[in-house]
């Protein structure tokens, strides 16, 4: 089964620079949850857009066949880390159809807040 | 009236293993809210996808004619329970059109957090 | 300008029966935010679906020409109030195109939680 | 690459009038996150709809080529500021395709709440 689209966009992006709890589980983070239902790996190129400078990328990630990857933007390193406390947006281009959902856990205060939305399926 | 699609995907999935309040109402949980507006029951097969192992399923659920089921992933048992503190994703295949919305209540601290999004309507 | 669709569905529905703050602003509530961009009023019929009994409705609401109505399910009265602490879902049928977004404010504890999602545009 | 649609609607809109923290980062605010992946600027006209009076607008904003703008409704000034504690909705019309996502940070109590959803892509 092959579900989804090959181009996705998330217009919202913001990793809070502070966290009341720095554990991996509870640190403030943004996630792109990617589902690859195909029988082959999904090779994905991510470009980040900013308010006041040129886009950065591509970041390259692979999601195995019939696997999900909950990718933390916090963990992106090449070509450069994602700056904290900075507005950004992201575009995903995959070689096979995928599904992308966006989630943020904000732990700037000890009582966490969550948001999530399906990303925009562009094509 | 028949509303919706027969294939839905939720790329985000994560049941926190801790809850400040273990009551049924307030325990940390993830829900797939399913609406069946048809005059016949909806027979649905759910497959769970993981980061590092093969998919599990199908989980079989039925939603009665003109009924809604707010299915807690916490309650899925056959073929196996959904592991806590583990990233997963899910795909729903129904024999009639349905609508699926994804919600999480996170009560790891006493002040709950909520997220919700329409699922991805695949076809 | 006429934006939207005439049939919408919200698979998630749940009004918490408790609120730490009973003021109109902060009481636990669910809202269907309806936008009518047309030059004529939108006449909308809402049907509620439940887990274990027949649907209830129609609830009839009108949204004026070029107006928005943030309708609280808490306020629906005819043919009957919406029960608290009960799973439900809803379908909106309008005579002109509208846009529907679903939001919940949960104030079971004093630190509120929010969720929101675009509803499912059925046709 | 050109991603998105030229007409978007957000049926939910509400800026809480109170904030436990008045800093720019943490004050209660509503944001329309706009992504312009085009090689040319996006010229956007925003109209606000209300419950009981005529629409207000257009508010004019420009998002540079290959840039994102996380526009705070709090900051809109011309033709008039957005009233607090007031239900509204918004429509975006752009001269090139864009992607719009809606987010609110509510800091009426010190423990913030968040919501987010993709906006409705009208055409």
């Amino acid at each position: 089964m092959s579900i989804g689209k090959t181009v996705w966009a998330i217009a919202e992006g913001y990793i809070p620079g502070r966290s009341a709890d720095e554990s991996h589980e509870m640190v403030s983070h943004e996630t792109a949850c990617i589902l690859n239902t195909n029988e082959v790996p999904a090779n994905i190129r991510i470009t980040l857009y900013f308010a006041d400078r040129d886009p950065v990328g591509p970041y390259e990630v692979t999601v195995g066949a019939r696997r999900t990857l909950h990718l933390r933007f916090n963990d992106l390193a090449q070509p450069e880390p994602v700056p904290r406390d900075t507005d950004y947006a992201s575009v995903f281009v995959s070689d096979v159809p995928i599904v992308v959902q966006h989630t943020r856990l904000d732990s700037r205060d000890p009582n966490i807040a969550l948001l999530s939305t399906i990303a925009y399926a562009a094509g």
Side-chain angles (χ1 to χ4, degrees), chain A residues 67-91:
Chain A
R67 293 291 185 275
T68 187
L69 173 65
H70 293 196
L71 175 70
R72 288 193 182 197
F73 288 96
N74 304 42
D75 295 339
L76 292 176
Q78 293 297 336
E80 61 182 67
V82 181
R84 269 50 172 178
D85 293 326
T86 302
D87 294 336
Y88 68 93
S90 52
V91 170

Side-chain angles (χ1 to χ4, degrees), chain A residues 32-51:
Chain A
C33 298
I34 306 170
L35 172 59
N36 174 20
T37 60
N38 299 283
E39 298 293 325
V40 296
N43 298 295
I44 304 167
R45 295 163 68 92
I46 304 169
T47 301
L48 300 188
Y49 291 80
F50 295 95

Side-chain angles (χ1 to χ4, degrees), chain A residues 4-41:
Chain A
K5 299 283 184 178
T6 58
V7 181
W8 291 81
I10 303 172
E12 165 75 287
Y14 183 85
I15 305 176
R18 292 184 291 117
S19 300
D21 181 338
E22 295 288 341
S23 69
H24 183 262
E25 176 190 0
M26 297 300 272
V27 68
S28 291
H29 62 269
E30 284 223 325
T31 302
C33 298
I34 306 170
L35 172 59
N36 174 20
T37 60
N38 299 283
E39 298 293 325
V40 296

